[in-house]
C-alpha cells in the first residue's frame, strides 16, 4: 500500500507545485470490493471544486501513463475539510493558535487523547492548552509520541 502512495506522491507533487497547491495526504484503501485512491489538497485560502477537478484530470493522465496500481480504483481529489489532519511538522507550525485533537501512542499524564488550543511547537514537543473543568492546563506532548492529530471544530 505505501509503495502506491509513494508513487502517487511523486506523480502529484509537480502538478500541485505548478498550481501552487499543497499535498495534505494520500490514501489508498479498499472499501468493500472497491479500491479508492484519495488525494487531499489544500492552500491557505482553501481549494475549490475547479482546482480539485484540474488536479484529478492531470493526475489521472499521469496515472494512466505510469500505471502503478494493479487494480481498478476510484480516484478522488478533494480538500481535507475543516478537520484537516496534521501530519508534517509544517502542519503543526501552521496550526499554532488553532483547536486540535491529538491521540498519542502511550499515555501522557494518564491520557491518550487531548483536545485544546495548540499553543506551541518547537520540533520536539507540541504544547496544547486543554481545559479541565474550569481551569486551563498546558500539556507538552513529544512529537514522536503522536499517533494522529487533526484540527478540531469547536461548537460554542
Amino acid at each position: 500500500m505505501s509503495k502506491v502512495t509513494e508513487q502517487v506522491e511523486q506523480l502529484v507533487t509537480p502538478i500541485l507545485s505548478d498550481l501552487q497547491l499543497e499535498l495534505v495526504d494520500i490514501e489508498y484503501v479498499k472499501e468493500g470490493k472497491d479500491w479508492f485512491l484519495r488525494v487531499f489538497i489544500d492552500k491557505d485560502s482553501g481549494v475549490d471544486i475547479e482546482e480539485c477537478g484540474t488536479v484529478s484530470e492531470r493526475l489521472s493522465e499521469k496515472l494512466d501513463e505510469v500505471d502503478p496500481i494493479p487494480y481498478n480504483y476510484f480516484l478522488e481529489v478533494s480538500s481535507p475539510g475543516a478537520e484537516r489532519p496534521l501530519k508534517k511538522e509544517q502542519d503543526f507550525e501552521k496550526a499554532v493558535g488553532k483547536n486540535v485533537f491529538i491521540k498519542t501512542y502511550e499515555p501522557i499524564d494518564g491520557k491518550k487523547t487531548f483536545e485544546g488550543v495548540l499553543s506551541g511547537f518547537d520540533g520536539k514537543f507540541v504544547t496544547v492548552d486543554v481545559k479541565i473543568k474550569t481551569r486551563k492546563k498546558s500539556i507538552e506532548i513529544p512529537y514522536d509520541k503522536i499517533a494522529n492529530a487533526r484540527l478540531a471544530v469547536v461548537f460554542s
Side-chain angles (χ1 to χ4, degrees):
M1 304 291 184
S2 67
K3 186 173 181 167
V4 168
T5 58
E6 288 172 17
Q7 288 177 304
V8 172
E9 183 173 353
Q10 289 175 353
L11 295 173
V12 76
T13 298
I15 295 167
L16 297 178
S17 179
D18 184 45
L19 298 170
Q20 298 178 346
L21 298 170
E22 166 192 0
L23 177 63
V24 175
D25 199 10
I26 298 174
E27 292 180 348
Y28 179 58
V29 294
K30 187 172 186 180
E31 294 178 2
K33 60 181 173 60
D34 296 318
W35 285 91
F36 291 86
L37 175 61
R38 294 187 176 111
V39 179
F40 299 95
I41 61 173
D42 209 357
K43 66 180 178 190
D44 288 341
S45 60
V47 292
D48 60 32
I49 195 154
E50 289 177 20
E51 290 166 312
C52 292
T54 300
V55 172
S56 180
E57 289 171 14
R58 291 173 65 177
L59 178 57
S60 185
E61 289 173 9
K62 289 288 185 189
L63 288 166
D64 287 346
E65 286 174 24
V66 178
D67 200 21
I69 301 173
Y71 307 102
N72 289 333
Y73 60 92
F74 294 96
L75 173 63
E76 298 176 356
V77 177
S78 68
S79 159
E83 294 192 334
R84 172 193 171 126
L86 306 175
K87 297 202 170 237
K88 304 170 213 149
E89 287 188 16
Q90 71 185 31
D91 295 337
F92 285 89
E93 291 165 358
K94 286 167 59 173
V96 170
K98 296 180 180 172
N99 290 299
V100 295
F101 179 83
I102 296 175
K103 285 186 183 179
T104 58
Y105 291 114
E106 55 194 49
I108 296 169
D109 288 348
K111 293 177 62 179
K112 290 177 74 175
T113 61
F114 303 89
E115 187 165 352
V117 175
L118 179 64
S119 59
F121 176 65
D122 66 6
K124 293 185 181 179
F125 290 92
V126 171
T127 305
V128 180
D129 295 336
V130 298
K131 193 172 184 182
I132 302 169
K133 294 186 182 175
T134 58
R135 63 185 179 90
K136 287 186 181 177
K137 180 178 180 183
S138 290
I139 308 284
E140 278 198 342
I141 303 169
Y143 180 67
D144 62 353
K145 301 293 185 208
I146 296 174
N148 61 55
R150 61 174 169 75
L151 294 179
V153 174
V154 176
F155 297 97
S156 44

